[in-house]
Amino acid sequence: MNIKHERPPIKKSRLENEVILAVVALYFLLSAAMLAIHHLQPGGVETKTSSTSPAHGDKSAAGSSEASNAPATDTPPVPAR
């Protein structure tokens, strides 16, 4: 009545395997590039932005309102590595 036939396992196609490998390789490539950029950026240099948002504007042009809101600390700044 309920005879179950043994089916061979469905194999992934060659194209599917190539796409998976390409995505993994791209992930590692982008990760390596981002890590290299992060570690090779010189210390103490402010990162520039091309954003036109007022929140990303020049800190000196933002006025002293932001500076007055900053908490006062007695500890000296930590030197960059």
Side-chain angles (χ1 to χ4, degrees):
M1 237 157 76
N2 290 336
I3 300 173
K4 293 187 177 180
H5 297 286
E6 188 75 27
R7 283 197 217 170
I10 299 172
K11 295 181 182 179
K12 290 183 180 177
S13 70
R14 185 170 162 224
L15 179 62
E16 185 177 358
N17 287 336
E18 288 181 18
V19 169
I20 291 170
L21 286 175
V23 168
V24 170
L26 183 62
Y27 173 80
F28 281 119
L29 178 69
L30 290 174
S31 297
M34 290 173 65
L35 278 172
I37 290 169
H38 174 74
H39 287 289
L40 294 176
Q41 180 178 358
V45 176
E46 185 176 337
T47 305
K48 307 247 183 202
T49 179
S50 61
S51 174
T52 57
S53 171
H56 297 153
D58 188 20
K59 290 183 181 177
S60 62
S64 61
S65 63
E66 285 185 25
S68 64
N69 293 339
T73 60
D74 293 34
T75 58
V78 178
R81 291 195 250 170

